[in-house]
Amino acid sequence: GAVVSQHPSWVICKSGTSVKIECRSLDFQATTMFWYRQFPKQSLMLMATSNEGSKATYEQGVEKDKFLINHASLTLSTLTVTSAHPEDSSFYICSAPKVPEDTQYFGPGTRLTVL
Amino acid sequence: AQTVTQSQPEMSVQEAETVTLSCTYDTSESNYYLFWYKQPPSRQMILVIRQEAYKQQNATENRFSVNFQKAAKSFSLKISDSQLGDTAMYFCAYNRDDKIIFGKGTRLHILP
């Protein structure tokens, strides 16, 4: 297997502030990482593809100025929720594919609560 | 569009029984990967089993096996000798070009 970590595991913030979530591949390198959002009792919704050294690719309907993604190294991607509002409260999960397995390994998730 | 359909929102079985979770998918590609992921109450996504579409042999991992019917675009998961720890949400997923498409999931309850 492979290990992907996320930090923090949970965060509470005030409306209007920004929150940064880190995703790290601990024992492999990943040129791409993926960010998902999961509402309670629902499936994972792909938000964006994080590309090392280049701009992220966002899925339709996801605001790129709201959810800033930076993939600064082969083991780290960050998701920043800017000017957070209560409707941004959710569970955010990242994943990274490990080649040549073509299998996605997932982080443990980050629970964001915006007050 | 690529879609993954899980027709069973929720299932319950007695411990030690066998249960089958259904999944169908839609794609025009010939080579792709299929997965079953488990999400227990901790919400950590755990890979259960993977299948490469060009392989005809059904994948197995201990008590978990799949019935892969490529022509029918069906990919069901069989759990044998179910255990209490198998209680979780199960997601069928399709992967091509590293992008994963998930089904809506099946919530599985293993009853003591």
Side-chain angles (χ1 to χ4, degrees):
Chain A
V3 181
V4 175
S5 70
Q6 271 183 252
H7 178 81
S9 56
W10 59 270
V11 57
I12 302 173
C13 69
K14 293 183 178 180
S15 187
T17 61
S18 294
V19 175
K20 180 184 286 189
I21 302 170
E22 293 185 348
C23 177
R24 293 181 185 272
S25 55
L26 298 184
D27 53 355
F28 67 101
Q29 293 181 332
T31 56
T32 58
M33 291 185 177
F34 299 87
W35 287 96
Y36 299 84
R37 184 173 182 176
Q38 186 179 32
F39 290 106
K41 297 187 177 182
Q42 293 189 23
S43 187
L44 281 71
M45 180 190 76
L46 178 64
M47 298 175 65
T49 302
S50 174
N51 303 299
E52 190 267 335
S54 64
K55 292 183 179 180
T57 306
Y58 291 83
E59 295 299 304
Q60 190 174 7
V62 178
E63 299 176 61
K64 61 180 181 180
D65 295 330
K66 175 73 170 176
F67 299 99
L68 299 180
I69 291 172
N70 185 285
H71 196 145
S73 76
L74 289 172
T75 59
L76 173 64
S77 175
T78 60
L79 168 68
T80 301
V81 183
T82 62
S83 186
H85 288 97
E87 56 266 31
D88 298 325
S89 297
S90 191
F91 193 67
Y92 292 89
I93 305 175
C94 71
S95 73
K98 184 179 179 184
V99 297
E101 297 176 24
D102 289 301
T103 297
Q104 294 277 350
Y105 291 92
F106 288 82
T110 297
R111 183 180 301 279
L112 170 64
T113 301
V114 184
L115 301 177
Chain B
Q2 299 155 356
T3 60
V4 178
T5 302
Q6 294 179 248
S7 59
Q8 305 148 312
E10 198 160 359
M11 298 180 72
S12 296
V13 294
Q14 293 292 138
E15 189 177 8
E17 290 186 348
T18 294
V19 61
T20 299
L21 281 59
S22 302
C23 174
T24 58
Y25 60 95
D26 185 26
T27 181
S28 58
E29 302 299 326
S30 59
N31 192 24
Y32 47 87
Y33 298 86
L34 295 164
F35 304 86
W36 279 96
Y37 281 92
K38 167 184 177 181
Q39 189 179 41
S42 68
R43 304 190 78 170
Q44 170 74 59
M45 295 289 284
I46 300 168
L47 176 66
V48 175
I49 201 164
R50 70 192 290 265
Q51 174 81 43
E52 296 169 78
Y54 69 86
K55 290 187 177 179
Q56 293 186 337
Q57 186 173 7
N58 290 323
T60 62
E61 286 289 340
N62 300 315
R63 297 182 296 107
F64 299 88
S65 62
V66 298
N67 183 1
F68 174 47
Q69 302 290 328
K70 190 173 183 179
K73 296 180 182 175
S74 172
F75 183 61
S76 61
L77 173 69
K78 185 172 81 171
I79 306 174
S80 304
D81 186 27
S82 57
Q83 301 175 358
L84 297 178
D86 295 333
T87 290
M89 195 76 172
Y90 286 81
F91 293 101
C92 178
Y94 166 102
N95 182 2
R96 183 179 176 271
D97 296 334
D98 283 342
K99 186 175 286 191
I100 281 196
I101 308 298
F102 286 96
K104 291 189 175 183
T106 296
R107 186 169 300 279
L108 177 64
H109 302 274
I110 307 300
L111 307 173

